[in-house]
Amino acid sequence: MAARVKALRVALVCDWFLPRMGGIELHLRDLALALRRRGVDARVVTTTPGADVVDDVPVHRLKGPLLPGAGVSMSPKIVARMAELLRAEDFDVVHAHASVVSPVAYAGAIAGAREGLPAVITFHSMLHQSSLLLGASDALLAWSRRITLTAVSSVVAAQAARWMPGVSIGVLPNAIDVDFWRTDDHTDRIGDVHFVTAMRLSRKKRPLALLRAFAKAVRFVAGAPPMHLTIAGDGPERGAVLRLADELGIAAHVTLAGHRDREQLRALYALADVFILPSERESFGIAALEARSAGLPVIAMLAGGARDFIVSGVNGMLARDHQELATFISRLALDRPLRRYMMNRNRMAPPDYDWSAITLAHRAIYEAAVRTRDAATVAAQR
């Protein structure tokens, strides 16, 4: 009888995971599920307190002091404890998912490299100033030579590469269930133009900048056609959003819909005409990708990661600044044929970011890292 081949066991290491809610937490859950469906024994390693199993995903939760507010580890022993776990659970690959400040993610990658395990890091956030720290630490420790570096978008990859010359940084993007978001419920409506966005109401996401741009567009269009904006999401800026909408005289044009789950967002997009993503420090733009898959033209900022899947003038618009954001909102409100063209393009050419393809890309990187490690081991033994 042939020996049973052990499934590749991958530690998905991140400082944050469910039940804490956010983009990286949901992505990690979805990635683990997608990998497990493909025969990879993917398990989450985190310091976020919670259950040992989430939606059929095993979770290893390292205990220890956390920084108040940020929720990141404060333990000086985190690398050693991570190494103990990797040995005890017999992991084959470590895949660390890092944001701007991610001691657990970096500890996972460093511990994995020290234990002789193939290690991968994916940068999930805009790096900016932290790119300098990455470059300085790499110059001193040369850790990038032992770890495969990736980023969720070309924008983030370029930021990291700017401070680590000569280091190869690949793009390993987020993914969605494209078929779930696709809808044929759109009708060629005449009348109100319905804009929509989905975001956390925080300063980073720029909801106030969106309101100011939308107010400029409302004044420019002057009621022909009528315009409405629905904001799905909640957060600390909710009160400020309500006050500014009133001050700008657009309160009657704006609806704050609160938090919406995926099914509710899909239903909302089926009734909308255009999606807007106003944040400039958006490393990927998963909400914009979901809306694009639903067929909506997307207005996003050129500085963000959405430019990897939005072609300006074809399936959406990419604004260079606040003025262009307002201009593009006005243009798509007035130009119904352009909206229909973009919507048809999005329907005919769904994005190449489905889990079926992105999961294979992850597995290919893991297997390549294992081969590289094995080849280096053989070479060292000669």
Side-chain angles (χ1 to χ4, degrees), residues 246-299:
D246 189 57
E247 292 171 9
L248 294 172
I250 58 171
H253 298 265
V254 178
T255 298
L256 269 62
H259 175 73
R260 290 290 185 267
D261 62 27
R262 288 172 174 172
E263 287 77 11
Q264 292 169 325
L265 284 176
R266 180 176 59 182
L268 180 62
Y269 296 163
L271 300 174
D273 298 293
V274 180
F275 182 91
I276 310 174
L277 184 70
S279 48
E280 293 178 311
R281 299 187 63 185
E282 196 72 48
S283 60
F284 183 78
I286 194 74
L289 180 64
E290 292 166 349
R292 196 209 128 172
S293 298
L296 293 182
V298 173
I299 301 175

Side-chain angles (χ1 to χ4, degrees), residues 107-123:
I110 292 170
R114 288 181 180 177
E115 292 295 312
L117 297 177
V120 180
I121 289 180
T122 297
F123 300 116

Side-chain angles (χ1 to χ4, degrees), residues 14 16-17 22-29 97-99 102 124-125:
C14 189
W16 305 280
F17 190 57
I24 195 169
E25 294 89 346
L26 292 172
H27 168 75
L28 211 62
R29 189 272 312 272
H97 296 261
S99 185
S102 300
H124 281 260
S125 298

Side-chain angles (χ1 to χ4, degrees), residues 75-204:
S75 173
K77 299 180 179 179
I78 188 64
V79 174
R81 294 175 58 216
M82 187 72 69
E84 291 175 3
L85 175 66
L86 296 177
R87 288 194 300 269
E89 294 297 328
D90 194 25
F91 281 106
D92 300 300
V93 176
V94 177
H95 185 179
H97 296 261
S99 185
V100 176
V101 179
S102 300
V104 171
Y106 290 116
I110 292 170
R114 288 181 180 177
E115 292 295 312
L117 297 177
V120 180
I121 289 180
T122 297
F123 300 116
H124 281 260
S125 298
M126 291 292 207
L127 298 174
H128 295 301
Q129 301 299 331
S130 59
S131 299
L132 176 60
L133 298 178
L134 288 174
S137 64
D138 186 48
L140 289 172
L141 305 175
W143 53 267
S144 66
R145 299 176 189 175
R146 298 173 290 164
I147 299 172
T148 301
L149 302 183
T150 64
V152 294
S153 67
S154 61
V155 174
V156 179
Q159 289 176 352
R162 193 174 301 125
W163 294 100
M164 290 186 285
V167 174
S168 175
I169 302 174
V171 175
L172 196 56
N174 294 338
I176 62 172
D177 181 350
V178 171
D179 286 340
F180 172 85
W181 291 100
R182 296 187 71 181
T183 176
D184 295 323
D185 294 339
H186 285 284
T187 57
D188 192 7
R189 295 181 296 273
I190 300 176
D192 291 16
V193 181
H194 186 187
F195 293 84
V196 66
T197 189
M199 67 167 77
R200 175 168 168 75
L201 299 183
S202 64
R203 292 181 64 183
K204 176 184 175 182

Side-chain angles (χ1 to χ4, degrees), residues 342-354:
M342 291 180 174
M343 187 171 289
N344 288 333
R345 284 297 300 253
N346 282 335
R347 287 178 174 175
M348 291 186 297
D352 298 325
Y353 290 85
D354 188 76

